[in-house]
Each structure stands twice: as C-alpha cells, then as structure tokens.
Amino acid sequence: SQLQLQRAYQRILKLAHTVADLTASENIAPQHLAKALQYRPRMEMGQRLSQLGKTCGEQLSDYQGSV
C-alpha cells in the first residue's frame, strides 16, 4: 500500500542521513543513499522503488528539496 511505501522510503532516508552523518557530510549524497539501500532486502526494495516509479536519484532530489 502507499502508506507502507512511504514508511519504507522514510526509513531509507533516515538511514542514508545516518550514513552521511558518519562521514561528516551535511547533505545526503548518492553514495549515502546507495549504502542505505544495501541494508534493505533487495527484493522488497526493488518492488517498492518500481512501485514509486522513481529512480533513487529522483528520490534523493525530492528529499533534498524538502529539507
């Protein structure tokens, strides 16, 4: 469902933000998002990203634009 997708998206962004913090970066970079995605089950994330209809880069851009 859409709510589950939004929650998964937020969990990944939260983890990507933590990865960025650990590298002393103020912003989330694509490599931080990639690292966060590595910690999620592949099948589940692939399905969720395809359902959202966006690439990881577009999601990152959306997130950074809202901060």
Side-chain angles (χ1 to χ4, degrees):
S1 77
Q2 188 65 22
L3 181 60
Q4 290 174 327
L5 292 174
Q6 291 172 346
R7 287 179 179 168
Y9 175 69
Q10 291 302 317
R11 284 192 303 265
I12 290 170
L13 287 177
K14 184 176 180 180
L15 183 53
H17 194 275
T18 299
V19 172
D21 286 345
L22 291 172
T23 61
S25 297
E26 290 186 23
N27 297 315
I28 297 173
Q31 63 267 23
H32 302 136
L33 185 59
K35 192 68 166 177
L37 288 169
Q38 289 178 351
Y39 290 106
R40 300 289 299 160
R42 289 181 189 195
M43 179 83 167
E44 179 182 343
M45 258 331 290
Q47 290 173 344
R48 290 182 178 183
L49 287 175
S50 65
Q51 288 174 353
L52 286 173
K54 294 184 175 183
T55 65
C56 294
E58 289 171 326
Q59 290 181 21
L60 180 60
S61 295
D62 291 349
Y63 174 75
Q64 288 178 335
S66 68
V67 175

